[in-house]
Amino acid sequence: MPRKFIQNNRGPLADFGASQLFHCRSIERRPPYLSKASNRKRGLELPLHPVLRYLCVFVTVIGSFCILHDGQAADTVQTARSAVLAPPDDARILMRWWWFGLAVVNAELEREMLQMKAGGIGGFEIQPVYPLALDDPPKNFQNYPYLSDRFLESLRYVNRRAQDLGLRVDLTLASGWPYGGPGIDAGHAAGALRVVRTPLLKDAVSAPLPALAAGESLIAAFGLPMLGADADPTQARQLPLPASGALRIELPEATTTREVWLFVSSRTGQMVKRAAIGAEGFVLDHFDRAAIEDHLRTVGDPLMTAFADKPPYSVFSDSLEVYDSDWTPDLLEQFKQRRGYDLTPYLPVLVAGKGDLARSIRHDWGETLTELVDENYLKPLTAWAHQHHTRFRSQTYGEPAVELSSNALVDLPEGEGPQWRTFSYTRWATSASHLYDHNVTSAEAWTWLHSPAFRATPLDMKAEADLFFLEGVNQFVGHGWPYTPPQVAEPGWAFYAAAVFNDHNPWWIVMPDVTAYLQRTSALLRQGHPANDVAIYVPTDDAWADFVPGHVALTDYVPNYITPALTAAILDAGYGFDYIDASAIDSGKLRSPILILPHVERISPSTYRKMVDYAAHGGKIIAVGRLPAHGTGVSSWKADSHEVAALSQTLFGDSSSSAIEVKDESAMADALHHAREAEVRFSPAAPELGFVHRKLEDGDLYFIANTSNHPVSSQTHLRAPGARAEVLDLIHQGMRTVSSDAIKLSLQPYESVAILLEDKNGKSAPQEPTPRQRRSIELNGDWLATFQGTHETRKTSLPHLWTTEPATAYYSGIVTYSRDFDVKEINPSSTWWIDFGEGTPIEPPSGKKLGTQALLEGPVREAAVIYVNGKRAGSVWCPPYRADLTALLRAGRNHLEIRVANTAINTLAGRSLPDNRLLNLRYGARFQAQDMENLQPVPSGISGPVRLIQEFSGVSVEIRK
């Protein structure tokens, strides 16, 4: 973060008219952290070498940008086609694999890995967590401690076997989250600033000191002339600290002090969440390098011994979630070194002040915290991973105060959350990847999906996955796969807050089809490079100024600036976007044609000057709500604010300038269209449709998804001037050539397609569909229904929901519907489909729901595999609910099977919840199962008529039931 802090001898607060308290000595140097050398280490500045590591071409007015990595072949339309037809294995989804109580055995570990591979899953991330059962020697069941020899041997076995199977292995570098455990003593636990406010009697001459626990120290004391809410922190007078061992603090003679504020460097006391046995303990101090080094020595190094010469693909840090951590013991020293003045006299203003002075102090405090977590947590972890020949994958958002460009310090940025039309952690990660040239961004996906556990369906998976794709994700880490011991009854174990995506779920029969779609689309969206027109500036300086003690998560404050209305306005106007912050701009990463400043007040003059230069070279700037008017922190406040205001006048004061100001988000669409033609235009407007645009060497790639529960038809106008357009069906791998001038899209609920535009001389004629006739016949009678779990067979007709019958209301599993039919002859020009009809839209559930749910009830509940004459014809699990039978039909008698699978929730609804009383008494209550009360069976079976459809040219063929 290349900022320069120069302190004059008037004192750091002279610009605020606050010369009381203490003056600071003059500082005229750049702190070591801000040196160019350290910035290179941070990944924020390209080294000036004769052979540049990256070639960046920025066409500011009429083009986008291209980044070619060393030795990387350019991606073309043909490589994009190949990615769909034959996607690479590394584009397969991964699963978070929970090992409960570390009660795992090799035979079951191997069985589950084989099932993952069969289901199209490319690997897993091992996460050891809490126990789910007590030791039971008669059943040969035992929990094991974290880092025990037995656990490390299980890791060793799994890693070797996974290598044999071609599965990727990642490892959480802890048990549970955040990092911490028994090796973290109070002196290295997550830090917090504690303020003890003691009101005094009128004639008091001393005040009691607070009792200090391990890891705490008294750092400052102040007297105030007023009590409670009337206390003015700017009137606080610093008191000398008492000698060690004192029980009270003395007050000055003739004191007017009515209240004493005592500041303690303290600890949050937060414990590791969902820890395995033996992994319990304090969360470590993410601002303290010694804390993470202790963790790596006591946890990381032993884990790596299990991998020997075959290290995991990556080690992982889950979402930070270090709640209330806003301090570390040496923060005052670090603050003075970095910001150029002593924070101690201004602690009362930090915690209770108002106005520009307080906000500027909080800005400097927040900036210091961000630097500390970058230097003392992220950097050491990445370095340690490289020393152990692996990579560091990190969810770099939340608390403590990481910024967008903190992701430059990790190898594999990861996001979380499918909120594509609001600010999201996922776009935070993908934006950082785009800025810092990571082609793959993963996301923790399907957390809380259609809660409770086992309720989620394949359509739920796709509906949420498409939202991640729209945010730029191209690698999934599913949440998740619970290990289940062989002794446990079906449907097995589940993590307390997650869906279940293993073979204990009946609809596992279509998992290979679901994962194939995700693999194809992930591979496709790795082709070329992102071509988003818009960069939204992240007002990090404003967010730092918004910090309050106990809440220092930048990603919690940024949505006040990057509002839902702003996000929706950009998307609805037809533009893709990324986030960008000051660190990235200062490092030359501003390459998008349009930059948006959302309600920005504070900005570094050096960053602002780069924006002015960007506009002078053709870049377009749109300020929303206000113009930047102030500098950032305390240092040079007046001079910096004067320069910022002058730059705003220079940039926005000229009507012919490339920069404009709009009053609010409602004017954003017009401003964008004035700056640059929209990337995509839907006619009629369709806010339900989202898109991703990537630039190829010889064309363009678009992914378009219907995010709604109803069909959407629209003419799609693409700005890219492709001469040839192809629409790709990512479920069935079909392709059709269309006119690139206006592409007619008719998308079913939650359906998605890809469009390839190829730059060629002359336009290829679109493939006009040959006029086809259609004939259908309902196959509703003469069915046999066989329940796989009970081997019971009964006659039935369709529609048929087995949950309407008392005997099978709680059945979870597979039911095979079978019957025969005759086809007189096979016409080679005919196409044959089995069609189940359309789904039924439903309303969102009442009350707060944590996860995504597809608001559509399909005609097949919840998935089906179709067999014709003993061979697999296809599966049905998302709209359109049909399968192509053409290749398998024969003249004469044909045998049709529809194997329908529901969810495991029906089985769970028919039994009592587990009694965890003894488990909680033995190990403590480490989890609370979510939404498991009052479960009811979910309708299961085929809810509508089934039709056999023949599409043909010429004469149809007779079908006999």
Side-chain angles (χ1 to χ4, degrees):
M1 190 166 312
R3 313 277 179 90
K4 187 175 182 181
F5 301 92
I6 300 176
Q7 180 62 52
N8 62 43
N9 56 18
R10 296 184 301 143
L13 305 188
D15 284 347
F16 299 92
S19 59
Q20 76 279 9
L21 306 178
F22 294 86
H23 285 198
C24 296
R25 62 186 177 86
S26 175
I27 295 179
E28 299 246 358
R29 60 181 175 82
R30 175 191 291 268
Y33 176 77
L34 303 181
S35 69
K36 287 189 176 182
S38 65
N39 276 340
R40 289 194 189 101
K41 292 178 183 177
R42 192 167 189 254
L44 302 183
E45 186 170 313
L46 295 176
L48 296 178
H49 190 277
V51 180
L52 295 180
R53 184 180 177 188
Y54 303 99
L55 172 63
C56 300
V57 181
F58 176 26
V59 185
T60 57
V61 180
I62 61 172
S64 55
F65 62 90
C66 176
I67 302 171
L68 300 180
H69 296 270
D70 287 337
Q72 177 181 316
D75 292 321
T76 65
V77 169
Q78 182 53 46
T79 62
R81 291 192 196 101
S82 299
V84 174
L85 296 174
D89 286 347
D90 64 11
R92 294 182 186 274
I93 71 169
L94 308 174
M95 281 291 167
R96 179 168 295 172
W97 196 5
W98 293 293
W99 291 10
F100 297 98
L102 310 183
V104 297
V105 295
N106 289 353
E108 178 61 22
L109 291 169
E110 179 181 43
R111 191 200 71 80
E112 294 191 13
M113 285 189 285
L114 289 170
Q115 286 297 313
M116 289 185 199
K117 188 172 182 66
I121 295 166
F124 46 83
E125 165 210 307
I126 300 170
Q127 190 171 101
V129 289
Y130 53 83
L132 276 178
L134 294 168
D135 291 351
D136 191 346
K139 293 184 178 180
N140 199 28
F141 178 85
Q142 184 176 349
N143 296 292
Y144 292 94
Y146 187 60
L147 298 182
S148 64
D149 290 343
R150 174 63 181 264
F151 166 62
L152 295 178
E153 178 54 38
S154 297
L155 276 184
R156 190 173 296 113
Y157 171 78
V158 162
N159 188 51
R160 289 197 306 264
R161 192 70 184 98
Q163 299 277 353
D164 295 339
L165 294 171
L167 295 173
R168 170 175 156 179
V169 180
D170 285 22
L171 177 69
T172 303
L173 208 58
S175 170
W177 71 95
Y179 284 3
I184 300 300
D185 59 24
H188 289 138
L193 181 63
R194 180 162 71 97
V195 184
V196 179
R197 302 185 182 189
T198 305
L200 301 176
L201 297 175
K202 183 176 181 180
D203 297 323
V205 295
S206 67
L209 293 174
L212 299 179
E216 289 190 317
S217 62
L218 181 65
I219 59 174
F222 294 83
L224 285 88
M226 300 180 191
L227 290 171
D230 295 328
D232 180 358
T234 64
Q235 300 300 313
R237 304 286 297 180
Q238 189 167 359
L239 305 175
L241 291 179
S244 176
L247 299 179
R248 299 183 69 84
I249 185 170
E250 301 298 323
L251 302 178
E253 293 183 10
T255 183
T256 60
T257 300
R258 301 299 308 280
E259 189 167 273
V260 171
W261 290 8
L262 302 167
F263 288 80
V264 177
S265 175
S266 184
R267 306 292 167 174
T268 69
Q270 182 181 356
M271 304 294 284
V272 174
K273 298 165 69 172
R274 321 306 171 205
I277 299 167
E280 309 89 343
F282 289 123
V283 170
L284 63 81
D285 184 350
H286 286 55
F287 303 121
D288 182 355
R289 191 182 188 99
I292 189 60
E293 288 177 346
D294 278 353
H295 181 79
L296 293 173
R297 182 174 60 255
T298 59
V299 175
D301 289 347
L303 287 172
M304 287 301 103
T305 63
F307 291 85
D309 60 344
K310 295 182 178 180
Y313 184 89
S314 77
V315 292
F316 175 58
S317 172
D318 209 338
S319 50
L320 296 175
E321 299 183 25
V322 188
Y323 301 128
D324 304 325
S325 183
D326 58 10
W327 202 260
T328 194
D330 70 341
L331 190 136
L332 291 175
E333 176 186 347
Q334 292 292 335
F335 186 97
K336 187 172 183 179
Q337 175 185 338
R338 296 161 188 271
R339 303 284 83 81
Y341 66 96
D342 186 3
L343 177 62
T344 308
Y346 313 115
L347 288 173
V349 177
L350 173 73
V351 301
K354 298 177 181 179
D356 284 340
L357 169 60
R359 286 177 56 78
S360 296
I361 291 172
R362 289 175 191 141
H363 168 279
D364 292 349
W365 166 60
E367 186 172 16
T368 302
L369 292 175
T370 297
E371 292 173 2
L372 291 176
V373 73
D374 281 355
E375 291 182 22
N376 295 334
Y377 183 74
L378 296 175
K379 276 188 174 182
L381 272 165
T382 300
W384 182 90
H386 294 174
Q387 290 166 8
H388 290 81
H389 311 290
T390 184
R391 305 162 185 83
F392 179 42
R393 177 165 60 89
S394 175
Q395 294 181 356
T396 312
Y397 47 82
E399 299 181 75
V402 288
E403 66 171 348
L404 176 68
S405 283
S406 298
N407 284 281
L409 302 175
V410 310
D411 299 307
L412 303 171
E414 180 165 293
E416 178 183 7
Q419 299 83 9
W420 74 290
R421 290 179 67 86
T422 62
F423 176 82
S424 78
Y425 299 152
T426 296
R427 204 181 295 270
W428 183 266
T430 59
S431 296
S433 290
H434 297 165
L435 289 169
Y436 293 102
D437 309 327
H438 297 290
N439 191 43
V440 176
T441 309
S442 58
E444 176 191 307
W446 310 306
T447 309
W448 304 100
L449 185 72
H450 202 161
S451 184
F454 290 105
R455 179 63 184 87
T457 69
L459 180 59
D460 292 324
M461 284 185 74
K462 182 184 188 299
E464 180 165 299
D466 285 350
L467 303 183
F468 280 110
F469 285 136
L470 293 177
E471 296 182 78
V473 167
N474 49 21
Q475 174 73 71
F476 288 91
V477 182
H479 195 274
W481 184 293
Y483 173 93
T484 295
Q487 305 96 320
V488 175
E490 293 295 338
W493 280 351
F495 193 62
Y496 80 104
V500 175
F501 302 112
N502 62 19
D503 59 319
H504 293 276
N505 216 330
W507 58 255
W508 174 259
I509 60 174
V510 301
M511 183 62 89
D513 305 279
V514 178
T515 57
Y517 165 74
L518 299 171
Q519 180 188 7
R520 289 184 202 113
T521 310
S522 295
L524 181 67
L525 294 179
R526 298 178 185 184
Q527 305 304 303
H529 59 262
N532 292 322
D533 278 350
V534 175
I536 304 179
Y537 179 70
V538 176
T540 305
D541 292 296
D542 285 314
W544 279 327
D546 291 339
F547 278 9
V548 295
H551 191 191
V552 295
L554 274 165
T555 46
D556 286 352
Y557 293 99
V558 170
N560 297 328
Y561 302 89
I562 304 177
T563 62
L566 176 61
T567 301
I570 296 169
L571 294 174
D572 292 347
Y575 299 85
F577 69 89
D578 285 315
Y579 305 137
I580 191 169
D581 64 1
S583 294
I585 291 175
D586 292 344
S587 303
K589 301 294 185 181
L590 179 53
R591 302 178 289 231
S592 301
I594 303 172
L595 174 67
I596 293 177
L597 306 182
H599 308 278
V600 176
E601 178 186 4
R602 293 171 180 254
I603 193 168
S604 163
S606 62
T607 302
Y608 209 9
R609 287 193 294 270
K610 287 181 171 62
M611 295 181 185
V612 173
D613 183 66
Y614 160 84
H617 288 83
K620 307 294 184 180
I621 301 179
I622 305 171
V624 185
R626 61 171 300 145
L627 298 181
H630 295 299
T632 56
V634 168
S635 296
S636 304
W637 168 259
K638 276 189 176 179
D640 286 354
S641 296
H642 178 78
E643 182 176 357
V644 168
L647 288 170
S648 286
Q649 180 61 33
T650 299
L651 191 56
F652 293 92
D654 185 351
S655 59
S656 63
S657 170
S658 296
I660 62 172
E661 179 187 5
V662 297
K663 180 180 180 181
D664 55 32
E665 288 83 352
S666 65
M668 179 55 62
D670 288 342
L672 287 168
H673 292 152
H674 178 75
R676 185 173 172 84
E677 182 186 354
E679 294 181 63
V680 176
R681 182 165 52 88
F682 298 112
S683 180
E688 308 95 326
L689 299 183
F691 74 92
V692 171
H693 178 200
R694 294 182 70 87
K695 183 65 182 168
L696 305 172
E697 178 71 10
D698 59 349
D700 293 83
L701 159 64
Y702 292 85
F703 170 80
I704 298 177
N706 179 5
T707 66
S708 75
N709 64 350
H710 57 266
V712 176
S713 294
S714 185
Q715 289 282 352
T716 304
H717 303 268
L718 306 176
R719 185 184 65 214
R724 171 189 169 94
E726 299 171 356
V727 179
L728 280 64
D729 177 350
L730 297 169
I731 297 288
H732 304 103
Q733 298 175 286
M735 185 193 77
R736 60 187 174 93
T737 302
V738 298
S739 170
S740 60
D741 295 328
I743 300 170
K744 175 69 173 178
L745 288 182
S746 295
L747 297 182
Q748 293 296 306
Y750 303 111
E751 188 178 9
S752 53
V753 296
I755 299 175
L756 293 176
L757 294 182
E758 188 169 10
D759 301 334
K760 285 187 174 181
N761 294 326
K763 293 208 170 189
S764 299
Q767 296 174 348
E768 296 295 341
T770 304
R772 305 272 282 176
Q773 301 181 60
R774 173 177 288 203
R775 181 171 181 267
S776 69
I777 185 171
E778 290 191 356
L779 301 177
N780 292 332
D782 301 324
W783 290 91
L784 294 177
T786 301
F787 289 74
Q788 180 175 294
T790 63
H791 306 291
E792 176 191 358
T793 298
R794 65 181 70 162
K795 292 182 179 181
T796 191
S797 59
L798 302 182
H800 175 250
L801 295 175
W802 68 76
T803 41
T804 62
E805 303 166 14
T808 53
Y810 297 102
Y811 175 79
S812 290
I814 298 170
V815 173
T816 299
Y817 296 88
S818 61
R819 60 155 295 165
D820 293 339
F821 64 94
D822 293 325
V823 176
K824 185 175 181 181
E825 61 178 298
I826 299 297
N827 185 335
S829 67
S830 293
T831 302
W832 299 82
W833 301 90
I834 185 170
D835 186 271
F836 295 86
E838 298 180 350
T840 303
I842 59 175
E843 293 298 318
S846 59
K848 183 179 179 180
K849 291 292 182 180
L850 295 174
T852 303
Q853 175 184 347
L855 300 176
L856 188 77
E857 292 182 346
V860 176
R861 304 294 302 273
E862 300 299 333
V865 178
I866 293 90
Y867 288 81
V868 175
N869 299 321
K871 296 183 178 180
R872 194 180 194 271
S875 65
V876 172
W877 53 275
C878 67
Y881 292 100
R882 64 181 188 180
D884 189 346
L885 311 183
T886 308
L888 299 179
L889 286 182
R890 61 195 179 203
R893 178 59 56 94
N894 290 268
H895 182 68
L896 175 64
E897 289 185 3
I898 306 171
R899 301 180 187 178
V900 177
N902 64 346
T903 72
I905 209 73
N906 291 10
T907 292
L908 295 174
R911 64 173 63 154
S912 299
L913 293 174
D915 182 358
N916 292 324
R917 182 179 63 88
L918 293 180
L919 180 71
N920 292 340
L921 288 171
R922 175 65 180 84
Y923 296 117
R926 304 193 183 201
F927 69 97
Q928 178 65 50
Q930 301 295 307
D931 302 327
M932 296 298 291
E933 303 84 6
N934 303 315
L935 293 180
Q936 299 298 318
V938 177
S940 303
I942 300 175
S943 62
V946 173
R947 296 178 177 87
L948 189 63
I949 297 175
Q950 178 195 14
E951 294 181 346
F952 58 93
S953 301
V955 180
S956 68
V957 174
E958 181 182 355
I959 308 170
R960 291 196 298 271
K961 298 182 183 180

